[in-house]
Amino acid sequence: MIPDPVVAQIRIDAVRRNLEAIRRRTRPGTPICAAVKAEAYGHGFEQVLPALFEAGVERLAVANLSEALRLRVLGWSKPILSLGPVMSVTGERDRVERALEAVAAGVSSTISSVHEARILAAAAVKMARKADVEIQIDSGMGRLGLLSEDSEELVAEVAGYPHVVVDGIYTHFATADEPDLSFARQQLERFASLVHRLRTSGVPVRAFHAANSAAIFRLPESHLDVVRPGLAVYGYWGGPADERPPDLQPSMRVVSRLASIRRLPAGHPIGYGCTFRTSRESVIATVPIGYADGYRRLFSNDAVVTLAPARGRGPRTVPVVGRVSMDQITVDLTTAGEVQIGDEIIIIDDDPQAPNSIETLARKMDTIPYEITSLLGQRIHRVAVP
Protein backbone atom coordinates (compact mmCIF):
# COMPACT_ATOMS: atom_id res chain seq x y z
CA MET A 1 0.00 0.00 0.00
CA ILE A 2 1.31 3.45 -0.93
CA PRO A 3 1.60 5.54 2.27
CA ASP A 4 -0.49 8.70 2.45
CA PRO A 5 1.66 11.82 1.97
CA VAL A 6 -0.25 13.73 4.67
CA VAL A 7 -2.16 12.29 7.62
CA ALA A 8 -4.41 13.96 10.18
CA GLN A 9 -4.18 11.94 13.36
CA ILE A 10 -7.40 12.34 15.35
CA ARG A 11 -6.77 11.66 19.03
CA ILE A 12 -9.86 9.88 20.29
CA ASP A 13 -8.72 10.07 23.91
CA ALA A 14 -8.52 13.86 23.60
CA VAL A 15 -12.13 14.01 22.35
CA ARG A 16 -13.24 11.96 25.36
CA ARG A 17 -11.34 14.20 27.75
CA ASN A 18 -12.83 17.32 26.20
CA LEU A 19 -16.32 15.92 26.70
CA GLU A 20 -15.41 15.23 30.33
CA ALA A 21 -14.28 18.86 30.65
CA ILE A 22 -17.65 19.99 29.31
CA ARG A 23 -19.53 17.68 31.69
CA ARG A 24 -17.58 19.13 34.62
CA ARG A 25 -18.93 22.60 33.80
CA THR A 26 -22.58 21.57 33.58
CA ARG A 27 -25.17 20.29 36.01
CA PRO A 28 -25.21 16.50 36.36
CA GLY A 29 -27.50 15.00 33.79
CA THR A 30 -27.38 17.94 31.37
CA PRO A 31 -27.51 16.48 27.83
CA ILE A 32 -24.82 17.37 25.32
CA CYS A 33 -25.79 18.18 21.74
CA ALA A 34 -22.41 18.05 20.02
CA ALA A 35 -22.02 20.04 16.80
CA VAL A 36 -20.43 17.84 14.15
CA LYS A 37 -21.22 19.85 11.03
CA ALA A 38 -18.62 20.09 8.24
CA GLU A 39 -17.26 16.59 8.85
CA ALA A 40 -16.92 17.17 12.59
CA TYR A 41 -15.19 20.51 12.01
CA GLY A 42 -12.79 18.85 9.60
CA HIS A 43 -11.86 15.94 11.87
CA GLY A 44 -14.01 13.38 10.04
CA PHE A 45 -17.38 11.84 10.92
CA GLU A 46 -16.07 8.29 10.88
CA GLN A 47 -13.15 9.10 13.17
CA VAL A 48 -15.12 11.10 15.74
CA LEU A 49 -18.51 9.36 15.96
CA PRO A 50 -17.32 6.29 17.91
CA ALA A 51 -15.77 8.52 20.58
CA LEU A 52 -18.96 10.57 20.91
CA PHE A 53 -21.08 7.45 21.23
CA GLU A 54 -18.78 5.83 23.78
CA ALA A 55 -18.70 9.06 25.81
CA GLY A 56 -22.50 9.04 26.05
CA VAL A 57 -23.17 12.15 23.98
CA GLU A 58 -26.95 12.39 23.84
CA ARG A 59 -27.44 14.04 20.45
CA LEU A 60 -25.69 15.68 17.52
CA ALA A 61 -26.20 18.90 15.56
CA VAL A 62 -25.47 19.21 11.85
CA ALA A 63 -25.72 21.93 9.24
CA ASN A 64 -28.23 20.30 6.92
CA LEU A 65 -30.30 17.25 6.12
CA SER A 66 -27.61 15.67 3.95
CA GLU A 67 -25.20 15.58 6.87
CA ALA A 68 -27.91 14.14 9.11
CA LEU A 69 -28.69 11.35 6.66
CA ARG A 70 -25.01 10.49 6.37
CA LEU A 71 -24.76 10.14 10.14
CA ARG A 72 -27.64 7.66 10.02
CA VAL A 73 -25.83 5.67 7.32
CA LEU A 74 -22.76 5.61 9.57
CA GLY A 75 -24.84 4.13 12.36
CA TRP A 76 -25.65 7.05 14.67
CA SER A 77 -29.01 6.08 16.16
CA LYS A 78 -29.46 8.86 18.73
CA PRO A 79 -31.24 12.19 18.05
CA ILE A 80 -29.92 14.58 15.39
CA LEU A 81 -30.76 18.27 15.02
CA SER A 82 -30.48 19.96 11.63
CA LEU A 83 -29.52 23.55 12.41
CA GLY A 84 -30.01 24.74 8.85
CA PRO A 85 -33.46 25.02 7.27
CA VAL A 86 -34.39 21.58 5.99
CA MET A 87 -36.94 22.83 3.46
CA SER A 88 -35.08 25.78 1.96
CA VAL A 89 -35.63 24.52 -1.58
CA THR A 90 -37.58 25.73 -4.59
CA GLY A 91 -40.79 23.87 -5.24
CA GLU A 92 -43.38 22.28 -3.01
CA ARG A 93 -42.63 18.79 -4.25
CA ASP A 94 -39.01 19.08 -3.12
CA ARG A 95 -40.12 20.37 0.28
CA VAL A 96 -42.44 17.42 0.71
CA GLU A 97 -39.67 15.01 -0.29
CA ARG A 98 -37.27 16.54 2.22
CA ALA A 99 -39.91 16.41 4.95
CA LEU A 100 -40.45 12.71 4.27
CA GLU A 101 -36.70 12.07 4.43
CA ALA A 102 -36.32 14.00 7.69
CA VAL A 103 -39.26 12.24 9.36
CA ALA A 104 -38.15 8.81 8.14
CA ALA A 105 -34.64 9.38 9.53
CA GLY A 106 -35.90 10.80 12.82
CA VAL A 107 -34.12 14.11 12.23
CA SER A 108 -35.28 17.13 14.22
CA SER A 109 -35.83 19.89 11.66
CA THR A 110 -35.32 23.57 12.38
CA ILE A 111 -38.37 25.46 11.09
CA SER A 112 -39.36 29.11 10.93
CA SER A 113 -42.93 28.99 9.66
CA VAL A 114 -46.27 27.29 10.17
CA HIS A 115 -46.17 26.20 6.54
CA GLU A 116 -43.04 24.11 7.18
CA ALA A 117 -44.68 22.58 10.23
CA ARG A 118 -47.71 21.61 8.16
CA ILE A 119 -45.55 19.88 5.55
CA LEU A 120 -43.73 17.95 8.28
CA ALA A 121 -47.02 17.08 9.97
CA ALA A 122 -48.36 15.68 6.69
CA ALA A 123 -45.17 13.64 6.26
CA ALA A 124 -45.56 12.32 9.80
CA VAL A 125 -49.15 11.27 9.12
CA LYS A 126 -48.10 9.52 5.93
CA MET A 127 -45.36 7.62 7.77
CA ALA A 128 -47.42 6.97 10.90
CA ARG A 129 -44.88 8.57 13.23
CA LYS A 130 -44.07 11.90 14.88
CA ALA A 131 -42.17 14.76 13.28
CA ASP A 132 -39.61 16.40 15.57
CA VAL A 133 -39.06 20.12 15.04
CA GLU A 134 -36.99 22.85 16.65
CA ILE A 135 -37.45 26.60 16.38
CA GLN A 136 -34.50 28.98 16.41
CA ILE A 137 -34.93 32.37 18.06
CA ASP A 138 -32.95 35.34 16.79
CA SER A 139 -32.01 37.02 20.06
CA GLY A 140 -29.39 39.19 18.38
CA MET A 141 -27.35 37.05 15.98
CA GLY A 142 -29.24 38.47 13.00
CA ARG A 143 -28.72 35.44 10.82
CA LEU A 144 -31.52 32.87 11.17
CA GLY A 145 -34.55 32.41 13.36
CA LEU A 146 -37.62 34.24 14.58
CA LEU A 147 -37.61 37.38 16.65
CA SER A 148 -38.83 36.47 20.12
CA GLU A 149 -41.85 38.78 19.89
CA ASP A 150 -42.95 36.99 16.70
CA SER A 151 -42.46 33.44 17.95
CA GLU A 152 -44.93 32.68 20.73
CA GLU A 153 -47.98 32.32 18.51
CA LEU A 154 -46.08 30.12 16.04
CA VAL A 155 -44.67 27.89 18.78
CA ALA A 156 -48.12 27.44 20.31
CA GLU A 157 -49.70 26.59 16.95
CA VAL A 158 -46.97 24.14 15.97
CA ALA A 159 -47.08 22.46 19.38
CA GLY A 160 -50.80 21.90 18.86
CA TYR A 161 -50.32 19.70 15.80
CA PRO A 162 -50.96 16.10 16.93
CA HIS A 163 -48.19 14.62 14.78
CA VAL A 164 -45.54 17.26 15.57
CA VAL A 165 -43.30 17.42 18.64
CA VAL A 166 -41.51 20.66 19.50
CA ASP A 167 -38.21 19.05 20.42
CA GLY A 168 -36.52 22.33 21.28
CA ILE A 169 -36.41 26.10 21.19
CA TYR A 170 -32.91 27.51 20.87
CA THR A 171 -30.85 30.61 20.21
CA HIS A 172 -27.24 31.24 19.23
CA PHE A 173 -24.78 33.71 20.75
CA ALA A 174 -22.96 36.19 18.54
CA THR A 175 -20.27 37.27 21.03
CA ALA A 176 -19.88 34.56 23.68
CA ASP A 177 -16.22 34.22 22.69
CA GLU A 178 -15.49 37.97 22.81
CA PRO A 179 -13.78 39.57 25.84
CA ASP A 180 -16.87 41.69 26.54
CA LEU A 181 -19.85 39.48 27.41
CA SER A 182 -22.39 42.26 27.77
CA PHE A 183 -24.12 41.62 24.43
CA ALA A 184 -24.21 37.87 25.05
CA ARG A 185 -25.91 38.56 28.37
CA GLN A 186 -28.45 40.78 26.59
CA GLN A 187 -29.18 37.94 24.18
CA LEU A 188 -29.61 35.55 27.07
CA GLU A 189 -32.00 37.93 28.82
CA ARG A 190 -34.16 38.17 25.69
CA PHE A 191 -34.21 34.42 25.29
CA ALA A 192 -34.82 33.76 28.99
CA SER A 193 -37.85 36.08 28.88
CA LEU A 194 -39.32 34.02 26.04
CA VAL A 195 -38.53 30.77 27.84
CA HIS A 196 -40.38 32.03 30.92
CA ARG A 197 -43.42 33.06 28.89
CA LEU A 198 -43.62 29.74 27.07
CA ARG A 199 -43.20 27.71 30.25
CA THR A 200 -45.80 29.82 32.04
CA SER A 201 -48.29 29.35 29.21
CA GLY A 202 -47.83 25.59 29.31
CA VAL A 203 -46.76 25.17 25.68
CA PRO A 204 -45.17 21.70 25.43
CA VAL A 205 -41.49 22.13 24.56
CA ARG A 206 -39.02 19.38 25.37
CA ALA A 207 -35.94 21.56 25.84
CA PHE A 208 -34.55 25.08 25.65
CA HIS A 209 -30.89 25.58 24.76
CA ALA A 210 -28.43 28.36 24.04
CA ALA A 211 -24.90 27.56 25.24
CA ASN A 212 -22.22 27.05 22.60
CA SER A 213 -18.63 26.15 23.51
CA ALA A 214 -17.60 29.56 24.79
CA ALA A 215 -20.84 30.02 26.76
CA ILE A 216 -20.45 26.63 28.42
CA PHE A 217 -17.20 27.83 29.99
CA ARG A 218 -17.95 31.54 30.36
CA LEU A 219 -21.73 31.89 30.88
CA PRO A 220 -22.91 29.08 33.14
CA GLU A 221 -26.31 30.75 33.50
CA SER A 222 -26.90 29.95 29.81
CA HIS A 223 -26.71 26.16 30.18
CA LEU A 224 -30.51 25.70 30.47
CA ASP A 225 -31.76 22.22 29.46
CA VAL A 226 -29.10 21.23 26.92
CA VAL A 227 -25.62 22.49 26.02
CA ARG A 228 -24.46 22.65 22.41
CA PRO A 229 -20.64 22.53 22.20
CA GLY A 230 -18.79 22.54 18.91
CA LEU A 231 -15.18 23.73 18.94
CA ALA A 232 -14.56 22.58 22.52
CA VAL A 233 -15.41 18.98 21.64
CA TYR A 234 -12.30 18.93 19.49
CA GLY A 235 -10.16 20.68 22.10
CA TYR A 236 -9.80 24.18 20.69
CA TRP A 237 -10.60 27.54 22.20
CA GLY A 238 -11.95 30.59 20.44
CA GLY A 239 -12.35 32.88 23.45
CA PRO A 240 -9.80 35.18 25.11
CA ALA A 241 -6.42 33.44 25.18
CA ASP A 242 -5.94 34.07 28.90
CA GLU A 243 -9.20 32.22 29.63
CA ARG A 244 -8.28 29.04 27.77
CA PRO A 245 -9.55 26.08 29.83
CA PRO A 246 -6.51 24.02 30.81
CA ASP A 247 -8.39 20.74 30.41
CA LEU A 248 -9.21 21.21 26.71
CA GLN A 249 -6.87 19.08 24.62
CA PRO A 250 -6.50 19.56 20.84
CA SER A 251 -7.50 16.36 19.10
CA MET A 252 -5.79 16.79 15.71
CA ARG A 253 -2.17 16.41 14.69
CA VAL A 254 -1.28 16.74 11.00
CA VAL A 255 1.93 15.02 9.88
CA SER A 256 3.81 14.53 6.63
CA ARG A 257 7.33 13.63 5.54
CA LEU A 258 10.23 15.28 3.78
CA ALA A 259 9.82 14.55 0.07
CA SER A 260 13.07 16.07 -1.19
CA ILE A 261 16.16 17.73 0.29
CA ARG A 262 18.37 20.05 -1.75
CA ARG A 263 21.43 22.17 -1.03
CA LEU A 264 21.10 25.54 -2.75
CA PRO A 265 23.60 28.40 -3.09
CA ALA A 266 23.25 31.82 -1.50
CA GLY A 267 20.92 34.15 -3.37
CA HIS A 268 18.80 31.36 -4.85
CA PRO A 269 15.07 32.15 -5.19
CA ILE A 270 12.49 29.83 -3.68
CA GLY A 271 8.96 29.35 -5.01
CA TYR A 272 6.47 31.35 -7.05
CA GLY A 273 7.18 35.07 -7.23
CA CYS A 274 10.70 34.59 -5.83
CA THR A 275 9.44 35.98 -2.51
CA PHE A 276 12.31 34.31 -0.63
CA ARG A 277 15.98 34.12 -1.51
CA THR A 278 18.56 32.18 0.42
CA SER A 279 20.91 34.44 2.36
CA ARG A 280 23.59 31.72 2.52
CA GLU A 281 24.17 28.23 1.22
CA SER A 282 21.01 26.54 2.46
CA VAL A 283 19.35 23.17 2.88
CA ILE A 284 15.82 23.44 1.46
CA ALA A 285 13.27 20.62 1.60
CA THR A 286 9.82 20.14 0.15
CA VAL A 287 6.83 18.74 2.04
CA PRO A 288 3.79 17.43 0.10
CA ILE A 289 1.07 19.70 1.44
CA GLY A 290 -0.29 22.91 -0.05
CA TYR A 291 -3.25 25.21 -0.30
CA ALA A 292 -5.28 22.50 -2.08
CA ASP A 293 -5.06 20.66 1.25
CA GLY A 294 -6.16 23.70 3.23
CA TYR A 295 -2.67 24.82 4.22
CA ARG A 296 -3.28 28.46 3.45
CA ARG A 297 -1.19 30.48 1.02
CA LEU A 298 -1.20 33.20 3.67
CA PHE A 299 1.31 31.06 5.60
CA SER A 300 3.94 31.78 2.94
CA ASN A 301 7.15 32.99 4.62
CA ASP A 302 5.20 33.30 7.87
CA ALA A 303 4.75 29.88 9.47
CA VAL A 304 6.81 27.07 10.94
CA VAL A 305 6.64 23.29 11.02
CA THR A 306 8.37 20.83 13.32
CA LEU A 307 10.85 18.09 12.50
CA ALA A 308 9.85 15.14 14.65
CA PRO A 309 12.51 13.56 16.89
CA ALA A 310 14.81 11.26 14.91
CA ARG A 311 18.23 9.61 15.29
CA GLY A 312 18.75 10.93 18.79
CA ARG A 313 17.75 14.50 17.93
CA GLY A 314 14.81 16.18 19.62
CA PRO A 315 12.07 18.11 17.82
CA ARG A 316 13.28 21.06 15.75
CA THR A 317 11.19 24.00 14.57
CA VAL A 318 11.96 25.10 11.01
CA PRO A 319 10.48 27.96 8.93
CA VAL A 320 8.27 27.71 5.89
CA VAL A 321 10.04 29.71 3.18
CA GLY A 322 8.74 30.86 -0.18
CA ARG A 323 5.13 30.79 -1.26
CA VAL A 324 2.85 27.92 -0.36
CA SER A 325 2.03 26.09 -3.60
CA MET A 326 -1.04 24.07 -4.45
CA ASP A 327 0.61 20.79 -3.47
CA GLN A 328 3.87 21.64 -1.70
CA ILE A 329 5.61 23.84 0.81
CA THR A 330 9.33 24.46 1.13
CA VAL A 331 11.11 24.59 4.48
CA ASP A 332 14.57 25.76 5.48
CA LEU A 333 16.54 23.00 7.23
CA THR A 334 19.92 24.74 7.18
CA THR A 335 20.30 24.77 10.96
CA ALA A 336 18.33 21.56 11.64
CA GLY A 337 21.27 19.18 11.65
CA GLU A 338 21.12 15.73 10.09
CA VAL A 339 17.97 15.12 8.04
CA GLN A 340 16.85 12.45 5.59
CA ILE A 341 14.13 12.08 3.00
CA GLY A 342 11.19 10.48 4.76
CA ASP A 343 11.77 12.20 8.10
CA GLU A 344 8.47 13.06 9.74
CA ILE A 345 7.29 16.67 9.72
CA ILE A 346 4.59 17.90 12.09
CA ILE A 347 2.55 20.39 10.08
CA ILE A 348 -0.01 21.07 12.81
CA ASP A 349 0.89 20.29 16.41
CA ASP A 350 -1.59 19.10 19.03
CA ASP A 351 0.16 21.16 21.71
CA PRO A 352 -1.97 24.33 22.00
CA GLN A 353 1.12 26.38 22.89
CA ALA A 354 3.15 25.23 19.90
CA PRO A 355 4.01 27.80 17.20
CA ASN A 356 2.21 25.58 14.67
CA SER A 357 -0.88 24.70 16.70
CA ILE A 358 -4.39 25.26 15.34
CA GLU A 359 -4.91 28.22 17.66
CA THR A 360 -1.53 29.80 16.89
CA LEU A 361 -2.11 29.48 13.14
CA ALA A 362 -5.58 31.01 13.54
CA ARG A 363 -4.16 34.01 15.40
CA LYS A 364 -1.50 34.39 12.73
CA MET A 365 -4.24 34.65 10.09
CA ASP A 366 -6.46 36.84 12.27
CA THR A 367 -9.14 34.20 12.05
CA ILE A 368 -10.68 31.46 14.22
CA PRO A 369 -9.69 27.83 14.82
CA TYR A 370 -12.90 26.66 13.09
CA GLU A 371 -11.59 27.93 9.77
CA ILE A 372 -8.24 26.19 10.06
CA THR A 373 -9.70 22.75 10.82
CA SER A 374 -12.73 22.86 8.54
CA LEU A 375 -10.70 23.89 5.48
CA LEU A 376 -8.31 20.94 5.67
CA GLY A 377 -8.80 19.11 2.37
CA GLN A 378 -9.99 15.62 1.65
CA ARG A 379 -6.58 14.57 0.28
CA ILE A 380 -5.45 14.56 3.90
CA HIS A 381 -6.19 11.08 5.24
CA ARG A 382 -7.89 11.15 8.64
CA VAL A 383 -7.04 8.33 11.01
CA ALA A 384 -8.25 7.78 14.56
CA VAL A 385 -5.48 7.15 17.08
CA PRO A 386 -5.80 6.30 20.79
Side-chain angles (χ1 to χ4, degrees):
M1 180 181 294
I2 299 174
D4 293 293
V6 187
V7 175
Q9 300 168 339
I10 311 303
R11 293 177 50 216
I12 299 306
D13 185 59
V15 174
R16 294 194 192 99
R17 290 179 182 273
N18 295 330
L19 291 165
E20 291 170 1
I22 291 165
R23 299 271 192 208
R24 281 193 290 272
R25 268 70 175 194
T26 60
R27 295 185 309 276
T30 301
I32 289 177
C33 177
V36 296
K37 55 188 179 174
E39 282 287 334
Y41 289 38
H43 295 68
F45 283 155
E46 295 179 51
Q47 288 69 38
V48 171
L49 284 185
L52 301 181
F53 187 83
E54 291 168 13
V57 167
E58 289 80 5
R59 60 189 320 201
L60 301 180
V62 295
N64 52 48
L65 182 58
S66 295
E67 288 185 342
L69 296 178
R70 178 141 182 264
L71 293 181
R72 291 297 189 223
V73 170
L74 291 173
W76 182 267
S77 57
K78 296 181 183 182
I80 301 173
L81 165 63
S82 175
L83 296 165
V86 167
M87 286 175 282
S88 58
V89 291
T90 301
E92 198 70 4
R93 180 178 296 179
D94 289 340
R95 293 190 186 96
V96 170
E97 182 62 31
R98 286 200 173 202
L100 288 168
E101 288 183 310
V103 172
V107 175
S108 188
S109 304
T110 294
I111 64 169
S112 58
S113 71
V114 171
H115 182 60
E116 291 171 300
R118 287 174 182 157
I119 296 173
L120 285 161
V125 170
K126 186 172 184 178
M127 307 196 74
R129 59 186 302 174
K130 299 285 188 180
D132 291 331
V133 303
E134 298 219 15
I135 298 169
Q136 183 175 359
I137 304 301
D138 179 4
S139 61
M141 183 73 175
R143 190 175 61 180
L144 291 171
L146 300 172
L147 297 176
S148 60
E149 57 267 27
D150 300 332
S151 61
E152 290 178 68
E153 185 176 338
L154 181 142
V155 173
E157 182 171 349
V158 171
Y161 289 4
H163 292 276
V164 174
V165 175
V166 181
D167 209 26
I169 307 289
Y170 68 97
T171 196
H172 191 52
F173 291 116
T175 62
D177 54 359
E178 297 289 334
D180 184 357
L181 287 171
S182 58
F183 186 72
R185 291 194 171 97
Q186 290 175 23
Q187 283 191 259
L188 182 58
E189 288 175 7
R190 294 188 193 105
F191 188 62
S193 176
L194 174 64
V195 171
H196 175 73
R197 295 195 303 273
L198 289 172
R199 283 177 170 162
T200 301
S201 65
V203 176
V205 176
R206 281 181 176 169
F208 297 92
H209 51 105
N212 58 3
S213 289
I216 289 169
F217 290 88
R218 305 181 74 215
L219 278 173
E221 61 269 33
S222 71
H223 292 178
L224 305 179
D225 301 319
V226 178
V227 293
R228 207 175 58 241
L231 194 65
V233 171
Y234 313 102
Y236 312 110
W237 180 243
D242 60 352
E243 294 183 34
R244 190 187 201 284
D247 45 355
L248 285 184
Q249 299 182 11
S251 57
M252 179 189 288
R253 183 173 180 264
V254 178
V255 299
S256 185
R257 296 191 179 275
L258 297 179
S260 74
I261 302 172
R262 305 174 66 213
R263 187 172 293 275
L264 297 176
H268 198 288
I270 305 294
Y272 288 112
C274 302
T275 61
F276 180 87
R277 290 179 182 271
T278 56
S279 61
R280 57 188 170 180
E281 184 179 46
S282 301
V283 178
I284 303 296
T286 60
V287 182
I289 188 172
Y291 58 76
D293 305 295
Y295 193 79
R296 303 295 299 279
R297 196 167 183 263
L298 292 172
F299 295 145
S300 302
N301 295 304
D302 193 30
V304 299
V305 295
T306 305
L307 272 167
R311 295 177 296 281
R313 296 289 301 268
R316 290 149 286 169
T317 299
V318 295
V320 175
V321 295
R323 282 190 179 150
V324 173
S325 302
M326 181 180 287
D327 312 303
Q328 297 171 333
I329 60 173
T330 43
V331 298
D332 188 345
L333 305 182
T334 307
T335 62
E338 182 188 355
V339 290
Q340 296 178 4
I341 290 176
D343 281 356
E344 183 177 88
I345 286 280
I346 302 168
I347 306 294
I348 295 177
D349 204 320
D350 55 6
D351 175 359
Q353 305 305 321
N356 51 338
S357 73
I358 291 288
E359 291 165 35
T360 303
L361 291 172
R363 286 192 294 271
K364 184 179 291 293
M365 288 179 56
D366 192 26
T367 187
I368 53 179
Y370 306 78
E371 184 174 358
I372 303 297
T373 62
S374 63
L375 288 180
L376 291 175
Q378 292 307 303
R379 293 195 305 193
I380 297 177
H381 180 57
R382 275 76 165 169
V383 58
V385 297

